[in-house]
């Protein structure tokens, strides 16, 4: 009777992690790797102690296994490497071997993005989330066609709506974007070009709300200014009416004021007044001579 062939145990946790990534059809997170390792029970009594060590692995031990696997693949240079994109891990062929892989799989040459689409994608990647109008403000041209192309390639997606008037859609990148460009996270964009710092989504959300509040305050201030200007115009119109009333006097009042202004004893418009009188202001010393002359003339007349 032949003995049953025993399956050898893995030599390390790194070996287990490598096999899981190789067999998986989709990228795996650290949590998924840990749960897969813990899901295996000991099949034999003599192996229970070793299997229990793997079943009690922690997230930190999974991280160490991934780092060891990455270094081992780099040293081995076997045509594929460990790649982390968006918090998930997978094995990927080396870019230098891409043409040979396409020839084996009989794949066409991958389509390349045009310069305009790449510029639009870069703006979204660094400034997300942002609206279509904001993209057009930066580029200075219409980006409707570029956004459609990027959406069809699943490199960007709708991530919400803005708080601005009209609530336009906000655009952001997808996990496929990170996978396509070999980025572990969006934070690596800052490392590629320190002069283009990626925007903070939370800060941008606050800016949207701040803009909305600012626009409301500006509208209220404008309405207050219009009301104040109208009040000034009404007040000026009332003052003009009062001034016009003061200047409009009855004809008899004007005639009365004119008569009071005339000198006493002088006729108006060249006409003599019967009631006018003349004040004799001749000195008395000349009055006596006049009387004597009048007296002498009367005597001559009598003779």
């Amino acid at each position: 009777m032949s003995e049953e062939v025993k399956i050898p145990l893995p030599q390390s946790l790194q070996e287990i992690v490598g096999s899981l990534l190789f067999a998986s059809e989709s990228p795996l997170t650290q949590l998924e790797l840990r749960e897969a390792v813990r899901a295996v029970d000991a099949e034999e009594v003599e192996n229970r102690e070793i299997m229990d060590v793997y079943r009690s692995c922690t997230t930190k031990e999974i991280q160490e296994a991934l780092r060891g696997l990455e270094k081992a693949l780099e040293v081995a240079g076997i045509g594929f490497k460990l790649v982390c994109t968006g918090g998930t891990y997978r094995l990927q062929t080396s870019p230098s071997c891409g043409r040979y892989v396409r020839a084996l799989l009989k794949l066409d040459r991958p389509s390349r993005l045009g310069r305009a689409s790449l510029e639009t994608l870069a703006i979204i990647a660094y400034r997300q989330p942002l609206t279509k109008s904001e993209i057009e403000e930066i580029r200075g041209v219409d980006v409707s066609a570029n956004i459609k192309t990027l959406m069809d390639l699943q490199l960007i997606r709708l991530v919400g709506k803005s708080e601005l008037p009209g609530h336009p859609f906000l655009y952001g990148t997808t996990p496929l974007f990170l996978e396509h460009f070999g980025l572990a996270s969006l934070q690596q964009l800052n490392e590629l070009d320190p002069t283009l710092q990626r925007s903070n989504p939370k800060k941008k959300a606050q800016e949207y709300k701040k803009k909305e509040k600012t626009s409301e305050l500006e509208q209220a201030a404008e309405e207050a200014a219009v009301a104040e200007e109208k009040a000034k115009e009404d007040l000026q119109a009332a003052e003009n009416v009062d001034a016009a009333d003061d200047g409009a006097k009855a004809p008899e009042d004007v005639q009365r004021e004119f008569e009071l202004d005339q000198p006493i004893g002088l006729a108006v418009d060249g006409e003599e007044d019967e009631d006018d009188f003349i004040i004799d202001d001749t000195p008395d010393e000349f009055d006596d001579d006049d009387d004597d002359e009048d007296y002498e003339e009367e005597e001559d007349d009598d003779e």
Side-chain angles (χ1 to χ4, degrees):
M1 187 175 178
S2 60
E3 297 180 356
E4 185 181 356
V5 179
K6 296 180 180 179
I7 300 177
L9 294 175
Q11 298 180 0
S12 65
L13 184 60
Q14 176 179 311
E15 184 180 354
I16 300 174
V17 170
S19 63
L20 293 175
L21 292 173
F22 182 80
S24 177
E25 295 181 356
S26 60
L28 301 174
T29 63
Q30 296 181 9
L31 180 60
E32 291 172 337
L33 289 169
R34 189 187 67 177
E35 290 178 350
V37 174
R38 289 184 172 185
V40 179
D41 295 328
E43 299 176 355
E44 300 176 1
V45 178
E46 59 269 21
N47 296 334
R48 184 175 297 277
E49 184 178 351
I50 298 176
M51 298 292 289
D52 287 342
V53 173
Y54 295 141
R55 280 176 56 88
S56 62
C57 68
T58 62
T59 304
K60 184 177 181 180
E61 292 174 342
I62 294 293
Q63 292 176 353
E64 293 176 355
L66 289 169
R67 284 195 293 265
L69 179 62
E70 182 180 10
K71 292 180 180 179
L73 293 175
E74 290 178 358
V75 173
I78 55 178
F80 58 90
K81 59 182 181 178
L82 178 65
V83 177
C84 175
T85 57
T88 60
Y89 296 84
R90 66 190 179 97
L91 296 177
Q92 176 178 294
T93 57
S94 301
S96 58
C97 304
R99 56 177 63 89
Y100 302 100
V101 175
R102 289 195 298 272
L104 174 65
L105 301 176
K106 294 180 174 54
L107 299 175
D108 296 332
R109 186 179 181 83
S111 58
R112 294 181 178 274
L113 289 173
R115 183 179 182 84
S117 297
L118 281 175
E119 290 179 356
T120 303
L121 180 59
I123 292 172
I124 296 174
Y126 274 94
R127 300 299 177 189
Q128 64 180 311
L130 74 171
T131 62
K132 176 176 172 288
S133 60
E134 290 176 322
I135 303 173
E136 292 175 342
E137 184 178 356
I138 296 174
R139 290 206 59 215
V141 295
D142 181 65
V143 296
S144 300
N146 304 138
I147 289 180
K148 184 179 184 304
T149 301
L150 297 174
M151 292 280 286
D152 293 340
L153 295 175
Q154 298 182 357
L155 294 176
I156 64 173
R157 61 177 178 173
L158 298 177
V159 296
K161 290 187 176 182
S162 170
E163 296 293 335
L164 295 175
H167 300 286
F169 288 110
L170 294 171
Y171 294 91
T173 55
T174 64
L176 184 60
F177 165 79
L178 299 176
E179 181 180 339
H180 181 79
F181 289 94
L183 299 173
S185 66
L186 292 173
Q187 297 299 329
Q188 283 189 303
L189 292 173
N190 296 338
E191 300 175 3
L192 296 177
D193 191 347
T195 61
L196 298 174
Q197 294 296 313
R198 197 177 74 87
S199 61
N200 189 335
K202 293 183 179 179
K203 185 180 293 186
K204 289 212 67 175
Q206 294 177 355
E207 289 179 359
Y208 285 130
K209 294 181 181 179
K210 187 176 181 180
K211 286 180 181 178
E212 184 179 14
K213 292 181 179 179
T214 302
S215 61
E216 293 178 356
L217 292 175
E218 290 177 351
Q219 183 178 0
E222 184 177 355
E223 292 176 355
V226 172
E228 183 179 358
E229 185 66 22
K230 187 176 184 303
K232 289 182 178 179
E233 292 178 357
D234 294 342
L235 180 61
Q236 184 64 31
E239 292 178 353
N240 293 338
V241 171
D242 293 341
D245 293 341
D246 293 341
K249 296 182 178 179
E252 56 271 14
D253 295 338
V254 176
Q255 182 66 24
R256 187 179 299 110
E257 290 182 359
F258 178 73
E259 291 175 353
L260 292 175
D261 290 339
Q262 297 304 316
I264 297 175
L266 295 180
V268 180
D269 295 335
E271 297 181 357
E272 295 183 357
D273 191 352
E274 296 179 354
D275 297 334
D276 291 345
F277 59 95
I278 299 174
I279 299 175
D280 187 8
D281 55 351
T282 305
D284 295 338
E285 56 190 29
F286 295 102
D287 289 343
D288 296 338
D289 295 338
D290 292 339
D291 294 341
D292 295 341
E293 291 178 359
D294 293 339
Y295 178 75
E296 292 179 356
E297 289 179 359
E298 291 178 354
E299 289 182 350
D300 295 335
D301 290 337
D302 292 338
E303 293 179 357

